[in-house]
Structure formats: structure tokens, C-alpha cells
Amino acid sequence: MLEKINMKIPISIQLENINVEVTPTKKVIKDIVGFVELQIIDNQGNVAFIVRGCTIKVKTFNNRPTFTVNAPAYKSGFGYKTSFIIENKNLWFNTVEAILKEFREKTGGRSPEDYLNSSEEVNPNDIPF
């Protein structure tokens, strides 16, 4: 097995903001109802990096439908592994709240229940990346 090597890259910027861009799907794709791009902004107002591939899904917990936000992930074996992790739980919670707020604004306040029975097969080429 290969040994992991940690290389530190010094940076002289401070991260200031996260811009959220939500794209609701035209049709429900399995349980996905939206896609998200996060732009991480530095203290000079420049985009330091972009994270694409977050999804907004409709899930049911305790017989109650709800929206969930999932970070980008990649297929590994029979499942998926998250490829972007915000370790600071408060920052992740605030990011999710901003994502869902923009999603509600762009969809006219649609609820999770509005999406439950509208699932249909979608061509993967129709997914807006």
C-alpha cells in the first residue's frame, strides 16, 4: 500500500464568503430536485475556488418528506464517498440554510411533498453541469 504524503502549500489569502448558485431540475431525477455550485470568495472579492456537484434531494424521515443537501461524491465500490467536506458543522449548517433559501426562492416555495409523485426517468444528458 502506498504511504500518504501530506504536502503543505502556503497561502496568503483569507476566505471571506461562500456564494451559492442553485439550479433547480426541470424534472425530478430519482430523488434529486436541484444542483448547487459553491464559490469560495477570498478577502479581495475574488473566487478562490469553486465546488460543483452538490445536490438537493427529497428524502422521507419518519414519514415526513424533507429536503436534504448532499456534498459532491464519487462512486467507490458499491457506494459513494463524499469528495468535499466542510468540517466546521456550523459553517455547513449555514451553507445548507443558504442553499435551501435560494432553492425556495427559485422554485416559488415548493415543498418536498410537491416533488414526491413527479419522479420520472431522465436522460443523464439533461442534467445541468
Side-chain angles (χ1 to χ4, degrees), residues 37-93:
E37 175 180 292
L38 303 175
Q39 297 177 356
I40 314 302
I41 310 299
D42 68 15
N43 57 338
Q44 302 296 314
N46 300 312
V47 176
F49 57 93
I50 296 172
V51 177
R52 292 188 178 119
C54 297
T55 55
I56 302 170
K57 297 181 177 185
V58 175
K59 298 286 186 181
T60 301
F61 298 102
N62 296 325
N63 294 322
R64 184 173 174 219
T66 189
F67 291 120
T68 63
V69 176
N70 298 88
Y74 61 93
K75 192 163 181 72
S76 177
F78 294 107
Y80 288 86
K81 289 189 178 183
T82 303
S83 60
F84 179 78
I85 300 166
I86 297 178
E87 291 287 346
N88 181 309
K89 299 303 179 201
N90 286 330
L91 178 58
W92 178 246
F93 177 78

Side-chain angles (χ1 to χ4, degrees), residues 25 72 114:
T25 60
D114 294 333

Side-chain angles (χ1 to χ4, degrees), residues 25-33 110 114-116 118-122:
T25 60
K26 293 177 183 172
K27 301 174 185 176
V28 177
I29 304 166
K30 296 190 180 186
D31 57 354
I32 298 172
V33 296
R110 290 184 69 183
D114 294 333
Y115 292 95
L116 283 180
S118 63
S119 184
E120 60 184 84
E121 289 298 314
V122 175

